[in-house]
């Protein structure tokens, strides 16, 4: 073999063989290592002849021993799976290349002992939240969110902390932690007055989602704190944002938002089930004449279709009915009804307490705030109408009287909000209240100050929306009066 041609390697092999033979109980002796007396002179002559070779071999042996002394001892596990070099690394016939690799790389023996099986390959985690890539740690409690939100804007990680807190608050509040009630006023105040100082992406949406999470899961605490905040020395935008949260809270708790979403989903599913050729409607000639659709190009006669394709009679149902398909009834739970009175009367108490403050109700800003205030009360009353009980009728009467006190406002926005509040209240107040306030005289003959206001708005108001809303309220009152007389 080419590996054993070097004299130093061959002599080392013979020495190792002699040493191992004594261990296993046999005796091996190489004459080349132990020459006889008769050939001593021949061997000495050969050594003198090849003295250079001996010196070179001894020098190589010294270098080899030094190299072996520098190697670290190899630790092998006796229980590890054995992997054959001949099976995994190379063919048995290519021994020369294996010898070259041993000489060039002394660490190949270590790599031959390592195993690469399927068990050693770890799969990539697809749902990794990349927590290790975050610049700041994800907040785990409401107190940590509070610490993140009050971080000074001049700090290096202020942007990351604010964003992380806004992203985690909705889910954290939805889990209803133990300190939710205690931390709600503090966090609601911080969120309400928080400004976008870093030009953060989706800042307004994340801020509103966090406020709505507190409003839904801690409604009473959130409502009382927001009512106190709008009475402080704050801007109009902050007051309007607080009213938006109160109105959205009423719609979310009453189930109106969920009801709209489910109805939209149901309508989309119904439209997807319609046939593709809905533009061409096939009906009988008698039905076309009754609906004045005889000359409509989009409507084809069923008799003509049957004459053109007699085989289609089996595909046409004889019991086809021209009506909308049946839909499943959608029911939701009104969670706003039990707390509607407490929330609405907190707003009533606020306007009664601050009605003389010009900073809140005076000027164009006050008119804008008043219109949104009345609209929020109308939303709350409408969201509580499906809850059983007599409290909704009392709240409707109080809202009607409050709205009527602003009927002579010069702003069209305030008049529209007054009409909306009156229209919402009229559909919920008892008939006795309308008779006492409106003075019903005869059939449809109503003479009162607020009815005259409705008629004036319905026919001569400069705002188009106010005219349409006033006429609709008048129609509702006339229908109520007609039903009372017919009874």
């Amino acid at each position: 073999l080419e590996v054993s041609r070097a004299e130093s390697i061959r002599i080392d092999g013979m020495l190792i063989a002699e040493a191992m033979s004594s261990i296993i109980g046999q005796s091996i002796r190489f004459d080349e290592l132990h020459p006889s007396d008769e050939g001593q002179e021949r061997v000495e002559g050969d050594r003198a002849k090849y003295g250079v070779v001996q010196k070179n071999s001894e020098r190589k042996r010294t270098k080899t021993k030094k190299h072996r002394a520098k190697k670290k001892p190899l630790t092998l596990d006796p229980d590890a799976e054995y992997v054959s070099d001949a099976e995994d690394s190379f063919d048995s016939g290519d021994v020369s290349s294996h010898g070259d690799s041993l000489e060039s790389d002394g660490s190949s023996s270590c790599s031959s002992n390592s195993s690469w099986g399927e068990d050693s390959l770890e799969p990539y985690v697809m749902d990794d939240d990349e927590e290790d890539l975050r610049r700041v740690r994800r907040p785990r409690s409401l107190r940590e969110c509070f610490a993140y939100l009050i971080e000074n804007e001049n700090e290096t990680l202020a942007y990351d902390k604010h964003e992380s807190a806004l992203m985690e608050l909705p889910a954290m509040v939805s889990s209803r932690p133990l300190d939710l009630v205690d931390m709600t006023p503090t966090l609601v105040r911080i969120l309400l007055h928080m400004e976008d100082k870093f030009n953060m992406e989706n800042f307004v949406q994340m801020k509103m989602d966090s406020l709505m999470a507190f409003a839904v899961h801690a409604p009473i605490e959130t409502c009382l704190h927001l009512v106190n905040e709008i009475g402080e020395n704050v801007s109009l935008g902050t007051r309007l944002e607080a009213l938006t949260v109160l109105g959205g809270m009423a719609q979310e708790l009453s189930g109106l938002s969920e009801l709209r979403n489910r109805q939209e989903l149901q309508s989309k599913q119904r439209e997807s089930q319609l046939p593709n050729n809905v533009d061409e409607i096939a009906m009988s000639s008698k039905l076309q004449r009754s609906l004045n659709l005889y000359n409509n190009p989009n409507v084809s006669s069923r008799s003509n279709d049957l004459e053109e394709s007699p085989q289609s009679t089996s595909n046409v149902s004889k019991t086809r009915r021209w009506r909308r398909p049946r839909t499943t009834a959608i029911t939701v739970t009104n969670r706003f009804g039990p707390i509607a009175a407490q929330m609405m009367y907190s707003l009533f108490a606020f306007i009664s307490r601050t009605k003389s403050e010009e900073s809140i109700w005076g000027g164009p800003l006050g008119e804008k705030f008043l219109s949104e205030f009345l609209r929020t009360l109308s939303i709350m009353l409408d969201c509580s109408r499906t809850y059983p009980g007599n409290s909704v009728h009392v709240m409707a009467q109080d809202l009607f009287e409050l709205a009527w006190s602003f009927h002579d406002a010069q702003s069209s926005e305030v008049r529209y909000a007054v009409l909306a509040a009156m229209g919402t209240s009229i559909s919920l107040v008892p008939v006795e209240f309308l008779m006492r306030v409106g003075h019903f005289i005869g059939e449809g003959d109503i003479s009162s100050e607020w009815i005259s206001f409705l008629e004036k708005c319905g026919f001569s108001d400069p705002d188009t929306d106010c005219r349409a809303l006033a006429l609709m309220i008048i129609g509702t009152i006339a229908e109520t009066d007609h039903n009372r007389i017919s009874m």
Side-chain angles (χ1 to χ4, degrees), residues 157-445:
L157 301 177
Y159 174 86
D160 301 279
K161 290 185 177 181
H162 290 182
E163 184 182 24
S164 181
L166 291 175
M167 292 176 61
E168 298 297 329
L169 267 177
M172 194 178 300
V173 174
S174 301
S175 63
R176 300 186 65 85
L178 296 177
D179 57 345
L180 176 61
V181 178
D182 298 333
M183 295 299 297
T184 294
T186 304
L187 289 174
V188 167
R189 178 182 176 84
I190 293 175
L191 291 171
L192 186 64
H193 297 280
M194 192 174 182
E195 299 178 359
D196 187 11
K197 297 181 180 180
F198 301 99
N199 195 16
M200 191 180 299
E201 185 178 1
N202 298 329
F203 172 80
V204 178
Q205 184 63 35
M206 290 190 297
K207 175 183 175 180
M208 185 57 63
D209 291 343
S210 301
L211 286 172
M212 286 300 302
F214 282 104
V216 171
H217 297 282
I220 297 178
E221 293 80 5
T222 304
C223 177
L224 296 178
H225 189 74
L226 289 177
V227 172
N228 292 332
E229 286 296 322
I230 61 178
E232 301 293 334
N233 187 18
V234 295
S235 62
L236 176 64
T238 304
R239 292 193 177 103
L240 296 182
E241 190 173 5
L243 293 178
T244 303
V245 174
L246 293 176
M249 172 186 58
Q251 295 181 3
E252 190 70 26
L253 291 176
S254 63
L256 290 181
S257 300
E258 181 184 358
L259 185 62
R260 294 193 192 99
N261 296 334
R262 293 172 63 177
Q263 287 177 348
E264 291 178 359
L265 179 61
Q266 196 176 63
S267 62
K268 291 180 180 179
Q269 293 177 353
R270 186 168 57 250
E271 291 176 359
S272 62
Q273 296 175 358
L274 293 176
N276 296 329
N277 56 348
V278 293
D279 294 336
E280 284 193 26
I281 305 173
M283 62 179 67
S284 62
S285 302
K286 183 178 180 180
L287 184 59
Q288 291 182 31
R289 286 192 295 269
S290 62
L291 297 177
N292 296 326
L293 299 175
Y294 194 75
N295 296 325
N296 193 340
N298 293 329
V299 180
S300 59
S301 176
R302 186 183 299 176
S303 60
N304 296 335
D305 295 341
L306 296 178
E307 290 177 1
E308 293 176 0
S309 56
Q311 297 179 357
S312 63
T313 56
S314 59
N315 298 330
V316 178
S317 176
K318 295 182 180 180
T319 60
R320 178 180 294 178
R321 293 176 175 85
W322 299 97
R323 60 176 176 81
R324 299 180 65 180
R326 294 179 179 177
T327 57
T328 307
I330 301 175
T331 58
V332 293
T333 303
N334 191 345
R335 296 179 295 162
F336 179 70
I339 59 177
Q342 185 174 358
M343 294 187 179
M344 288 191 65
Y345 281 104
S346 65
L347 292 176
F348 286 146
F350 168 76
I351 194 174
S352 176
R353 185 176 67 252
T354 61
K355 60 183 178 180
S356 60
E357 297 185 11
E358 289 291 330
S359 60
I360 299 177
W361 308 104
L365 299 181
E367 293 177 350
K368 177 66 176 178
F369 177 63
L370 177 60
S371 62
E372 293 297 329
F373 188 86
L374 294 176
R375 194 170 300 168
T376 302
L377 287 173
S378 303
I379 293 174
M380 288 185 173
L381 181 62
D382 185 66
C383 292
S384 61
R385 65 189 308 157
T386 59
Y387 186 75
N390 298 325
S391 60
V392 62
H393 304 302
V394 179
M395 292 186 295
Q397 296 178 25
D398 294 336
L399 179 58
F400 183 89
E401 295 176 354
L402 175 65
W404 173 248
S405 61
F406 300 101
H407 73 281
D408 55 350
Q410 299 296 326
S411 174
S412 59
E413 293 185 4
V414 176
R415 290 199 307 273
Y416 186 84
V418 169
L419 291 171
M422 292 176 63
T424 307
S425 304
I426 287 175
S427 60
L428 296 175
V429 295
V431 180
E432 294 78 8
F433 176 80
L434 294 178
M435 295 177 62
R436 176 173 57 85
V437 177
H439 300 291
F440 286 75
I441 303 175
E443 183 178 356
D445 186 8

Side-chain angles (χ1 to χ4, degrees), residues 17-177:
E18 288 184 357
M20 293 295 296
S21 63
S22 61
I23 296 175
I24 62 178
Q26 296 182 4
S27 177
I28 299 178
R29 181 181 179 83
F30 293 95
D31 295 337
E32 186 176 354
L33 297 177
H34 308 281
S36 60
D37 297 337
E38 297 176 354
Q40 183 69 23
E41 296 178 358
R42 181 176 56 82
V43 172
E44 290 178 358
D46 293 338
R47 289 181 177 179
K49 182 179 180 180
Y50 302 101
V52 178
V53 177
Q54 282 287 350
K55 292 180 181 180
N56 293 337
S57 63
E58 290 176 1
R59 189 180 296 111
K60 290 181 180 179
R61 187 181 304 176
T62 304
K63 291 182 179 180
T64 304
K65 290 182 179 180
K66 291 181 180 180
H67 181 67
R68 290 178 180 175
K70 292 181 181 179
K71 290 184 179 180
K72 295 181 179 180
L74 178 63
T75 304
L76 298 178
D77 187 5
D79 298 332
E81 183 181 359
Y82 174 75
V83 180
S84 176
D85 296 340
E87 295 177 357
D88 295 345
S89 302
F90 34 76
D91 297 333
S92 59
D94 193 7
V95 183
S96 61
S97 61
H98 176 54
D100 296 337
S101 64
L102 288 175
E103 292 179 357
S104 61
D105 188 5
S107 63
S108 61
S109 60
C110 298
S111 61
S112 63
N113 294 327
S114 61
S115 60
W116 292 89
E118 295 182 357
D119 297 338
S120 62
L121 301 177
E122 297 182 0
Y124 182 76
V125 181
M126 301 300 296
D127 56 348
D128 185 15
D129 57 356
E130 299 181 353
E131 182 70 22
D132 53 336
L133 301 180
R134 289 175 172 265
R135 298 183 62 187
V136 295
R137 189 174 65 90
R138 190 195 304 269
R140 302 297 182 184
S141 64
L142 293 179
R143 297 186 183 275
E144 290 187 9
C145 291
F146 167 73
Y148 280 13
L149 291 176
I150 63 175
E151 184 73 16
N152 191 358
E153 60 181 2
N154 297 325
E155 297 293 334
T156 305
L157 301 177
Y159 174 86
D160 301 279
K161 290 185 177 181
H162 290 182
E163 184 182 24
S164 181
L166 291 175
M167 292 176 61
E168 298 297 329
L169 267 177
M172 194 178 300
V173 174
S174 301
S175 63
R176 300 186 65 85

